Amino acid sequence: MGSLCALDEPLQYPIARRDESVVEDYHGVKIDDPYRWLEDPDAEEVKEFVQKQVKLTESVLEKCETREKLREKITKLFDHPRYDAPFRRADKYFYSHNTGLQAQNVLYVQDSLDGEPEVLLDPNALSEDGTVSLNTLSVSEDAKYLAYGLSASGSDWVTIKVMRVEDKKVEADTLSWVKFSSISWTHDSKGFFYSRYPAPKEGENVDAGTETNSNLYHELYYHFLGTDQSEDILCWRDPENPKYLFGGSVTDDGKYVLLYIGEGCDPVNKLYYCDLSSLPNGLLGLKGKNDLLPFIKLIDEFDAQYHDIANDDTVFTFLTNKDAPKYKLVRVDLKEPTVWTDVIQEAEKDVLESACAVNGNQMIVSYLSDVKYVLQIRDLKSGSLLHQLPIDIGTVSGISARREDNVVFFGFTSFLAPGIIYQCNLESEVPDMKIFREIVVPGFDRSEFHVDQVFVPSKDGTKIPMFIVARKNILLDGSHPCLLYGYGGFNISLTPSFSVSRIVLTRHLGAVFCIANIRGGGEYGEEWHKAGSLAKKQNCFDDFISAAEYLISAGYTQPKKLCIEGGSNGGLLVGACINQRPDLFGCALAHVGVMDMLRFHKFTIGHAWTSDYGCSDKEEEFHWIIKYSPLHNVRRPWEQHPDQPSQYPSTMLLTADHDDRVVPLHSLKLLATMQYVLCTNLEKSPQINPIIGRIECKAGHGAGRPTQKMIDEAADRYSFMAKMLDASWIE
């Protein structure tokens, strides 16, 4: 039985024009695309459509009684100081900090760990509404300069600026058209490597962030401090392969620059190197010449991932998944590039997440074991285990140390631990680990809650891990509102982390919060990822549906009390699941989802996702995709199952006008399609659950979003959820 409408009367949806003339032929299959006009974010008709939807959504949210209470509680809990792990350069320490409700985190510098911290860069001062954010930063080896990338309105486009650390003077250097880039200084502190796209030609759309053109012809450059961008040295490009992405990284000893080459989102890369000390006149000698850097190819095929951990002159240690889907550490001498030896062999069950060289000849290694982190100190040369570090069940983030450091900092978080930064001193025989800073949320008492991990059999019998967070000692009588969250793609793992808004839901709406670690993610390595991609993408949806069925059969909830949520690839997950099992859910929240699976590869960086999804241009892959593409599978449940009253769950599609990662057209086209098929195209439709879109202005895919916008969005979507699931407020 679908949920009864929580609103008094059915919504009056705006009518969107259908252009029946747009029909595309995919390998002999004709597919209508009547809302293709919604793909142009700058067209007046599209802006009008967006405004009407914004108005409709506001009229629904005004009826959601818990909206203000949620906003107030989330704001109150959010208002606590937060810190990141500090990192050292030369004689200085740098860290970011937020006093609580600041729109963006502020970067601080101090001369010693107990020295007086000074504000180095405050992004909040760069815009009135907090929509300019710090996208990336890098401090020069001598700690005299900070190079930093700024992004506006959450766009992926970045402008790099340079500041003198000593007197905080912003230099004239300005680097534009930067995207998907790191900043890597040479050890003489004279400049840095960065990546960019060619500038758009005269007359092309330049509101960076709303344009949908494909991102092609990435390039690697070197910038000398104090010079104009036009004088930067082009170090690498490959016009033959316009979709390649390039990243330059200077090794810890400053001797080499490594060139990482990627194509899609798969964990595979090519790896070239250049010995900077062998350039006759250094990088300066390349100025004004048209020569690329003389890179030597170490790995020249996309068959595995290689990530540099350390090097001693020509002997390099890499983290790789070559013949090791759960990853291993290997070593090679550049003088004998065909001879590779294992330093740490692949584990049987646990995934080798990261390794970081520290304290001269040691490394700090993290494993993922059933979605929980394990941290170890190992010998860099032999790989042998020296110490296991005592950490709670949760997630380790931001291991901050370099090979020369004998003190390591790292962050820790879990569902019930807002954040701890540990300081670990490796000088002594046994590592000395202590709490450097602990993030405290006033009014949060972890003893009220309980976390469980269960393993749910999916349709094909595969065991899927799921975390369940609830108030202690709840009755399993099926009465609880439940929020089930998932992602399942691109080798990304969903590990335990603290969320203010979810704690508020658990405490004040009596909700049960769950994360399903479905296939497609990286929780068990590359095999787990591959089992939920390409021809096997349906496994993701089966896993998620099985997790939902478990929550119902175990007595946590019931269909009309169950809400599913996901973002980006997880938005696709939600869109596909409500098409496949509309009867199973009471509410659905899909953020910035990839919804038009036939055309995603034509916009911005969408072409990189074909490594996970395939591409409709290829006949075999078209037939995988068309079966689950959310836009192309909206059906009327009451016509599919005339014997039972059914409708779609109450649905909110969330997107943003400056999302240049998953462009807004995905959500807009699905919104128009669902409203038409389920609601406006028939008299007295059984679909009385609302289908609405929340469209954020001046925002992007989610990175760099100001604190207030995050709080407002959480209050909006969760008050909608509360109203639709008929969840009542608990003081």
Side-chain angles (χ1 to χ4, degrees), residues 527-542:
E527 292 159 322
W528 193 253
H529 167 220
K530 286 276 177 271
S533 68
L534 301 174
K536 297 181 179 164
K537 187 69 187 165
Q538 181 58 36
N539 281 340
C540 306
F541 315 136
D542 291 343

Side-chain angles (χ1 to χ4, degrees), residues 249 251 253 255-260 271-278 294-299 306 308 310-318 330-341:
S249 170
T251 51
D253 61 359
K255 188 176 172 192
Y256 297 92
V257 57
L258 303 180
L259 174 66
Y260 287 92
L271 187 76
Y272 302 174
Y273 66 90
C274 173
D275 181 347
L276 293 169
S277 62
S278 71
F295 280 105
I296 295 169
K297 299 172 178 181
L298 179 63
I299 303 288
Y306 295 88
D308 156 55
N311 70 298
D312 289 292
D313 197 29
T314 57
V315 178
F316 274 76
T317 304
F318 292 105
V330 293
R331 188 162 290 147
V332 66
D333 189 332
L334 300 180
K335 294 183 185 131
E336 294 182 66
T338 56
V339 182
W340 294 72
T341 52

Side-chain angles (χ1 to χ4, degrees), residues 86-131:
F87 67 90
R88 185 176 73 83
R89 279 295 173 279
D91 53 355
K92 293 189 173 5
Y93 288 88
F94 300 83
Y95 67 92
S96 78
H97 168 49
N98 192 312
T99 53
L101 295 174
Q102 287 173 290
Q104 303 288 342
N105 295 348
V106 178
L107 182 68
Y108 287 80
V109 59
Q110 49 190 163
D111 290 331
S112 65
L113 284 176
D114 33 19
E116 186 64 33
E118 290 177 38
V119 171
L120 182 58
L121 179 66
D122 180 0
N124 299 297
L126 301 175
S127 70
E128 283 182 22
D129 57 2
T131 54

Side-chain angles (χ1 to χ4, degrees), residues 6-75:
L7 301 171
D8 308 330
E9 68 271 3
L11 289 179
Q12 298 301 307
Y13 294 97
I15 303 293
R17 174 172 71 85
R18 286 176 66 82
D19 181 350
E20 306 290 357
S21 70
V22 185
V23 180
E24 191 114 6
D25 186 315
Y26 289 91
H27 318 285
V29 182
K30 297 217 170 359
I31 304 280
D32 299 340
D33 196 1
Y35 298 116
R36 186 165 295 181
W37 58 271
L38 281 169
E39 291 181 359
D40 178 3
D42 299 312
E44 281 314 310
E45 192 181 10
V46 175
K47 290 179 179 170
E48 202 177 309
F49 173 85
V50 167
Q51 282 326 113
K52 283 180 178 164
Q53 295 293 344
V54 166
K55 225 168 118 177
L56 176 73
T57 300
E58 191 48 47
S59 75
V60 173
L61 290 173
E62 279 167 2
K63 297 188 178 118
C64 298
E65 300 80 3
T66 58
R67 188 186 190 187
E68 286 315 312
K69 285 180 181 162
L70 278 171
R71 194 193 320 265
E72 182 194 332
K73 290 287 183 208
I74 293 171
T75 304

